Amino acid sequence: MAPIRDDTVTDLKDLVAKLEIRVRQLEDRLGRDGAKPRTPSQSMRMILMGPPGAGKGTQAPKIKDKYCVCHLATGDMLRAQVAKKTALGREAKKIMDQGGLVSDDIMVNMIKSELATNQECANGFILDGFPRTVAQAERLDQMLKEQQQPLKHAVELQIDDSLLVARVTGRLIHPASGRTYHKIFNPPKEHMKDDVTGEHLIQRTDDNAETLKKRLGTYHAQTAPVVSYYQKKGIWSGVDASQEPGAVWKSLLGVFGEEKPAHTGMGSSILSKIGLKS
Ligand code: AP5
């Protein structure tokens, strides 16, 4: 029999650690599907804030997968209305292309209806791009108070405006799934084609330098005060969003109190459970 090498053992431990994480994700999903419903105190309820291009849409799907919650992105909801050419969509498109904000009433009612009817929200939610004004934050609090399901985290992705131009003007979107790419930082395998479906990628009409300037102005004037609102409530955390996406994800896990899995530790725990390690 060939001698056992250190790197073979390390590879095996890595594999076991990955399997253990996967098992935990599947157990979480079982919980969502009804086998082990989470109590309100266990479920994730959070908002993800940050200026345009900070990475909300990049990180939120990972949180959704990890905690089996719904991801409600108000910008995506509005763009769905634009695509359907509804009256709201036509009105919203004008406002979005000017870098302004759609009315608080419309946005609050959209979120209220999703939280009440979307089955995926039974285990909790991530709100991405909402609330964007203090008035929206107050109405969200009232709504959640009535359901006795207060927010747990308000996470702000912090990044300097100067880094956002390149991120936003290089962004590519797959409209059907919401998957995002970046021409330089995260290019699709094939030019302008979605990696999964092969369908054509587009650029958002508000993703140009001129509109971005207005969107940033709106963010600093109307959304920055929402940060102080949650700081006073004691649930705010800031994350450095100028790091590469993997490092931003690790920082987010830190906010949620998740420990980074130590491969040797995780591997050892499974090995010992199956009697291969004392
Ligand atoms: P919305 O769609 O919410 O746009 P936004 O807040 O401006 O945010 P973005 O989607 O532009 O950025 P993101 O943070 O998701 O960045 P992403 O992860 O894609 O809103 C659009 C409009 O709708 C608003 O202007 C407003 O008019 C209206 N609206 C929406 N909600 C509203 C509300 N509540 N009230 C009123 N009006 C509302 O990343 C950007 C790019 O960078 C990608 O290409 C990505 O690949 C890349 N990237 C991400 N992370 C990194 C990284 N760490 N390093 C390098 N590149 C990265």
mmCIF file of all heavy atoms in Angstrom, residues 186-206:
data_model
loop_
_atom_site.group_PDB
_atom_site.id
_atom_site.type_symbol
_atom_site.label_atom_id
_atom_site.label_comp_id
_atom_site.label_asym_id
_atom_site.label_seq_id
_atom_site.Cartn_x
_atom_site.Cartn_y
_atom_site.Cartn_z
ATOM 1 N N ASN A 186 -15.600 40.770 -12.802
ATOM 2 C CA ASN A 186 -16.285 39.467 -12.753
ATOM 3 C C ASN A 186 -16.910 39.183 -14.123
ATOM 4 O O ASN A 186 -18.122 39.146 -14.279
ATOM 5 C CB ASN A 186 -17.367 39.536 -11.652
ATOM 6 C CG ASN A 186 -18.175 38.263 -11.560
ATOM 7 O OD1 ASN A 186 -17.704 37.188 -11.937
ATOM 8 N ND2 ASN A 186 -19.415 38.369 -11.085
ATOM 9 N N PRO A 187 -16.042 39.025 -15.153
ATOM 10 C CA PRO A 187 -16.590 38.919 -16.518
ATOM 11 C C PRO A 187 -17.293 37.581 -16.761
ATOM 12 O O PRO A 187 -16.913 36.567 -16.162
ATOM 13 C CB PRO A 187 -15.340 39.033 -17.402
ATOM 14 C CG PRO A 187 -14.198 38.653 -16.532
ATOM 15 C CD PRO A 187 -14.584 38.932 -15.113
ATOM 16 N N PRO A 188 -18.336 37.580 -17.621
ATOM 17 C CA PRO A 188 -18.964 36.300 -17.974
ATOM 18 C C PRO A 188 -17.978 35.465 -18.802
ATOM 19 O O PRO A 188 -17.040 36.011 -19.380
ATOM 20 C CB PRO A 188 -20.160 36.736 -18.822
ATOM 21 C CG PRO A 188 -19.796 38.080 -19.360
ATOM 22 C CD PRO A 188 -18.892 38.725 -18.348
ATOM 23 N N LYS A 189 -18.241 34.131 -18.827
ATOM 24 C CA LYS A 189 -17.300 33.270 -19.566
ATOM 25 C C LYS A 189 -17.279 33.663 -21.047
ATOM 26 O O LYS A 189 -16.248 33.672 -21.677
ATOM 27 C CB LYS A 189 -17.716 31.804 -19.407
ATOM 28 C CG LYS A 189 -17.432 31.297 -17.996
ATOM 29 C CD LYS A 189 -17.797 29.828 -17.860
ATOM 30 C CE LYS A 189 -17.765 29.433 -16.398
ATOM 31 N NZ LYS A 189 -18.866 28.565 -16.014
ATOM 32 N N GLU A 190 -18.482 33.950 -21.602
ATOM 33 C CA GLU A 190 -18.568 34.348 -23.004
ATOM 34 C C GLU A 190 -19.047 35.792 -23.063
ATOM 35 O O GLU A 190 -19.957 36.160 -22.288
ATOM 36 C CB GLU A 190 -19.573 33.435 -23.722
ATOM 37 C CG GLU A 190 -19.271 33.271 -25.191
ATOM 38 C CD GLU A 190 -20.330 32.406 -25.866
ATOM 39 O OE1 GLU A 190 -20.784 31.429 -25.227
ATOM 40 O OE2 GLU A 190 -20.717 32.735 -26.993
ATOM 41 N N HIS A 191 -18.480 36.573 -23.969
ATOM 42 C CA HIS A 191 -18.780 38.005 -24.052
ATOM 43 C C HIS A 191 -20.290 38.282 -24.096
ATOM 44 O O HIS A 191 -20.994 37.788 -24.982
ATOM 45 C CB HIS A 191 -18.104 38.563 -25.325
ATOM 46 C CG HIS A 191 -18.345 40.028 -25.534
ATOM 47 N ND1 HIS A 191 -17.862 40.997 -24.677
ATOM 48 C CD2 HIS A 191 -19.031 40.687 -26.491
ATOM 49 C CE1 HIS A 191 -18.244 42.186 -25.105
ATOM 50 N NE2 HIS A 191 -18.963 42.027 -26.204
ATOM 51 N N MET A 192 -20.779 39.051 -23.124
ATOM 52 C CA MET A 192 -22.175 39.512 -23.053
ATOM 53 C C MET A 192 -23.209 38.381 -22.982
ATOM 54 O O MET A 192 -24.373 38.571 -23.313
ATOM 55 C CB MET A 192 -22.525 40.447 -24.223
ATOM 56 C CG MET A 192 -21.837 41.797 -24.188
ATOM 57 S SD MET A 192 -22.102 42.708 -22.649
ATOM 58 C CE MET A 192 -23.701 43.437 -22.893
ATOM 59 N N LYS A 193 -22.769 37.171 -22.521
ATOM 60 C CA LYS A 193 -23.710 36.050 -22.399
ATOM 61 C C LYS A 193 -23.742 35.566 -20.945
ATOM 62 O O LYS A 193 -22.690 35.439 -20.306
ATOM 63 C CB LYS A 193 -23.281 34.868 -23.289
ATOM 64 C CG LYS A 193 -23.253 35.171 -24.776
ATOM 65 C CD LYS A 193 -24.595 34.787 -25.404
ATOM 66 C CE LYS A 193 -24.725 35.238 -26.839
ATOM 67 N NZ LYS A 193 -23.891 34.464 -27.741
ATOM 68 N N ASP A 194 -24.960 35.246 -20.452
ATOM 69 C CA ASP A 194 -25.112 34.697 -19.103
ATOM 70 C C ASP A 194 -24.439 33.319 -19.025
ATOM 71 O O ASP A 194 -24.640 32.490 -19.926
ATOM 72 C CB ASP A 194 -26.617 34.592 -18.790
ATOM 73 C CG ASP A 194 -26.867 33.953 -17.430
ATOM 74 O OD1 ASP A 194 -26.167 34.293 -16.471
ATOM 75 O OD2 ASP A 194 -27.772 33.091 -17.340
ATOM 76 N N ASP A 195 -23.664 33.075 -17.960
ATOM 77 C CA ASP A 195 -22.934 31.798 -17.821
ATOM 78 C C ASP A 195 -23.887 30.610 -17.763
ATOM 79 O O ASP A 195 -23.563 29.518 -18.230
ATOM 80 C CB ASP A 195 -22.101 31.785 -16.518
ATOM 81 C CG ASP A 195 -20.872 32.672 -16.611
ATOM 82 O OD1 ASP A 195 -20.614 33.205 -17.708
ATOM 83 O OD2 ASP A 195 -20.183 32.829 -15.579
ATOM 84 N N VAL A 196 -25.059 30.782 -17.156
ATOM 85 C CA VAL A 196 -25.957 29.643 -16.938
ATOM 86 C C VAL A 196 -26.847 29.376 -18.150
ATOM 87 O O VAL A 196 -26.952 28.246 -18.616
ATOM 88 C CB VAL A 196 -26.828 29.886 -15.672
ATOM 89 C CG1 VAL A 196 -27.783 28.723 -15.438
ATOM 90 C CG2 VAL A 196 -25.932 30.104 -14.458
ATOM 91 N N THR A 197 -27.472 30.430 -18.686
ATOM 92 C CA THR A 197 -28.468 30.215 -19.759
ATOM 93 C C THR A 197 -27.928 30.546 -21.139
ATOM 94 O O THR A 197 -28.520 30.164 -22.150
ATOM 95 C CB THR A 197 -29.703 31.109 -19.530
ATOM 96 O OG1 THR A 197 -29.259 32.481 -19.581
ATOM 97 C CG2 THR A 197 -30.354 30.847 -18.184
ATOM 98 N N GLY A 198 -26.829 31.292 -21.200
ATOM 99 C CA GLY A 198 -26.303 31.727 -22.496
ATOM 100 C C GLY A 198 -27.083 32.910 -23.063
ATOM 101 O O GLY A 198 -26.811 33.372 -24.172
ATOM 102 N N GLU A 199 -28.072 33.405 -22.296
ATOM 103 C CA GLU A 199 -28.883 34.532 -22.788
ATOM 104 C C GLU A 199 -28.080 35.828 -22.735
ATOM 105 O O GLU A 199 -27.097 35.940 -21.999
ATOM 106 C CB GLU A 199 -30.178 34.657 -21.965
ATOM 107 C CG GLU A 199 -31.170 33.556 -22.296
ATOM 108 C CD GLU A 199 -32.304 33.429 -21.268
ATOM 109 O OE1 GLU A 199 -32.276 34.127 -20.228
ATOM 110 O OE2 GLU A 199 -33.200 32.611 -21.514
ATOM 111 N N HIS A 200 -28.583 36.822 -23.476
ATOM 112 C CA HIS A 200 -27.860 38.079 -23.617
ATOM 113 C C HIS A 200 -27.849 38.888 -22.316
ATOM 114 O O HIS A 200 -28.856 38.928 -21.607
ATOM 115 C CB HIS A 200 -28.518 38.895 -24.747
ATOM 116 C CG HIS A 200 -27.625 39.963 -25.265
ATOM 117 N ND1 HIS A 200 -26.440 39.696 -25.908
ATOM 118 C CD2 HIS A 200 -27.730 41.311 -25.213
ATOM 119 C CE1 HIS A 200 -25.858 40.841 -26.228
ATOM 120 N NE2 HIS A 200 -26.621 41.837 -25.820
ATOM 121 N N LEU A 201 -26.724 39.513 -22.005
ATOM 122 C CA LEU A 201 -26.632 40.392 -20.823
ATOM 123 C C LEU A 201 -26.896 41.831 -21.256
ATOM 124 O O LEU A 201 -26.653 42.184 -22.408
ATOM 125 C CB LEU A 201 -25.232 40.287 -20.208
ATOM 126 C CG LEU A 201 -24.799 38.890 -19.743
ATOM 127 C CD1 LEU A 201 -23.359 38.915 -19.230
ATOM 128 C CD2 LEU A 201 -25.736 38.364 -18.641
ATOM 129 N N ILE A 202 -27.402 42.634 -20.312
ATOM 130 C CA ILE A 202 -27.682 44.038 -20.639
ATOM 131 C C ILE A 202 -26.997 44.963 -19.618
ATOM 132 O O ILE A 202 -26.535 44.509 -18.576
ATOM 133 C CB ILE A 202 -29.200 44.345 -20.602
ATOM 134 C CG1 ILE A 202 -29.775 44.038 -19.203
ATOM 135 C CG2 ILE A 202 -29.959 43.590 -21.670
ATOM 136 C CD1 ILE A 202 -30.937 44.883 -18.845
ATOM 137 N N GLN A 203 -26.980 46.248 -19.941
ATOM 138 C CA GLN A 203 -26.562 47.263 -18.957
ATOM 139 C C GLN A 203 -27.799 48.041 -18.553
ATOM 140 O O GLN A 203 -28.667 48.320 -19.403
ATOM 141 C CB GLN A 203 -25.538 48.204 -19.581
ATOM 142 C CG GLN A 203 -24.125 47.649 -19.505
ATOM 143 C CD GLN A 203 -23.077 48.743 -19.615
ATOM 144 O OE1 GLN A 203 -22.807 49.203 -20.712
ATOM 145 N NE2 GLN A 203 -22.489 49.138 -18.494
ATOM 146 N N ARG A 204 -27.923 48.376 -17.254
ATOM 147 C CA ARG A 204 -29.064 49.164 -16.790
ATOM 148 C C ARG A 204 -29.001 50.570 -17.361
ATOM 149 O O ARG A 204 -27.912 51.114 -17.504
ATOM 150 C CB ARG A 204 -29.048 49.234 -15.252
ATOM 151 C CG ARG A 204 -29.727 48.057 -14.609
ATOM 152 C CD ARG A 204 -29.473 47.925 -13.147
ATOM 153 N NE ARG A 204 -29.589 49.138 -12.347
ATOM 154 C CZ ARG A 204 -29.451 49.162 -11.016
ATOM 155 N NH1 ARG A 204 -29.222 48.032 -10.361
ATOM 156 N NH2 ARG A 204 -29.548 50.281 -10.345
ATOM 157 N N THR A 205 -30.190 51.142 -17.642
ATOM 158 C CA THR A 205 -30.182 52.479 -18.253
ATOM 159 C C THR A 205 -29.693 53.543 -17.265
ATOM 160 O O THR A 205 -29.281 54.619 -17.675
ATOM 161 C CB THR A 205 -31.589 52.866 -18.772
ATOM 162 O OG1 THR A 205 -32.515 52.713 -17.690
ATOM 163 C CG2 THR A 205 -32.035 52.019 -19.933
ATOM 164 N N ASP A 206 -29.756 53.228 -15.944
ATOM 165 C CA ASP A 206 -29.258 54.214 -14.964
ATOM 166 C C ASP A 206 -27.792 53.979 -14.594
ATOM 167 O O ASP A 206 -27.251 54.664 -13.740
ATOM 168 C CB ASP A 206 -30.138 54.234 -13.700
ATOM 169 C CG ASP A 206 -30.224 52.878 -13.000
ATOM 170 O OD1 ASP A 206 -29.842 51.855 -13.605
ATOM 171 O OD2 ASP A 206 -30.658 52.837 -11.827
#
